[in-house]
Amino acid sequence: MCLQDSESVPVPQETVEDVVDHKVLMQEALQEAKQSPPKPSNFCVGALLVDLETGEVLSRGYTLEVEGNTHAEQCCLIKFAQAHDLPEERVGEVLPSNTAIYTTMEPCNMRLSGSLPCVDRIIRTKTKDGAAAIKKVYLGVQEPEKFVGENQGRAKLQEHGIECIHVPGLEEEILKVATAGHQK
Ligand SMILES: [Zn+2]
């Protein structure tokens, strides 16, 4: 009996990379950013929480969407927590164990307002067994050194085992949207 090669080679398992298209998701995050009200003191940023196992978008947010001086990543987390009747600091308990956050601009590591930076909000998302719920951060551009100098957030995230991955190709539009309220 003669087996053809195609029958003897196992079909590769579908991988995470097959489930999600990073650029399409970054474009969706950019659509969120466009809803952010342009202000001279903020970047207009958009963000998504995505279940990497299924590709499902769990939550969407943009800068200043939720009341207060809120950032896009923070709004994503607050909205998902609220949908589960939890405060934001406990959102990790209801996030899938392989969650990613897509954000048009790298998460802030310092806030002039004194609010908790988004890097720390991401790090504190822990599942009930104490593991990081958000495992990956996909970012469209680095934060320009306009308000707080160089962003050390990526190093801090990596220290906590959270991978930061740049999704290339949309930088120009992301920055145009982000700085829409700034003096040219
Ligand atoms: Zn932030």
Side-chain angles (χ1 to χ4, degrees):
M1 198 177 130
C2 177
L3 277 177
Q4 288 183 359
D5 277 348
S6 61
E7 287 176 287
S8 58
V9 175
V11 177
Q13 290 283 313
E14 193 177 51
T15 64
V16 163
E17 305 305 323
D18 295 321
V19 174
V20 296
D21 183 326
H22 303 300
K23 192 162 175 190
V24 166
L25 288 166
M26 194 56 73
Q27 271 160 342
E28 282 193 42
L30 181 56
Q31 291 311 311
E32 290 299 308
K34 287 178 182 170
Q35 297 180 63
S36 176
K39 296 260 166 105
S41 54
N42 278 94
F43 292 113
C44 297
V45 176
L48 308 175
L49 284 173
V50 176
D51 181 351
L52 287 178
E53 299 293 333
T54 62
E56 186 193 349
V57 176
L58 304 166
S59 184
R60 297 163 196 271
Y62 55 84
T63 311
L64 300 177
E65 180 181 6
V66 175
E67 201 186 332
N69 181 20
T70 52
H71 285 189
E73 301 92 324
Q74 182 184 4
C75 291
C76 272
L77 294 166
I78 289 172
K79 287 165 72 183
F80 195 73
Q82 279 176 350
H84 292 82
D85 283 326
L86 285 174
E88 185 205 337
E89 55 268 28
R90 289 180 58 196
V91 68
E93 295 172 22
V94 288
L95 283 172
S97 61
N98 200 2
T99 300
I101 192 159
Y102 287 73
T103 177
T104 55
M105 190 176 287
E106 72 178 307
C108 64
N109 188 40
M110 193 190 291
R111 288 176 75 165
L112 300 176
S113 65
S115 297
L116 189 68
C118 293
V119 160
D120 297 302
R121 292 173 191 274
I122 291 167
I123 290 169
R124 77 174 174 180
T125 63
K126 303 279 189 207
T127 59
K128 281 193 173 131
D129 56 12
I134 295 179
K135 301 275 198 304
K136 290 184 177 175
V137 175
Y138 289 93
L139 52 99
V141 294
Q142 292 184 11
E143 181 183 6
E145 295 183 25
K146 176 162 177 140
F147 299 127
V148 294
E150 192 190 348
N151 187 333
Q152 309 288 340
R154 258 171 304 147
K156 191 167 176 183
L157 289 164
Q158 315 258 27
E159 272 167 33
H160 285 81
I162 300 166
E163 214 181 325
C164 294
I165 302 131
H166 175 221
V167 180
L170 297 165
E171 291 86 348
E172 202 177 323
E173 198 180 354
I174 285 172
L175 284 172
K176 195 172 140 203
V177 171
T179 59
H182 299 186
Q183 290 262 323
K184 292 291 180 309

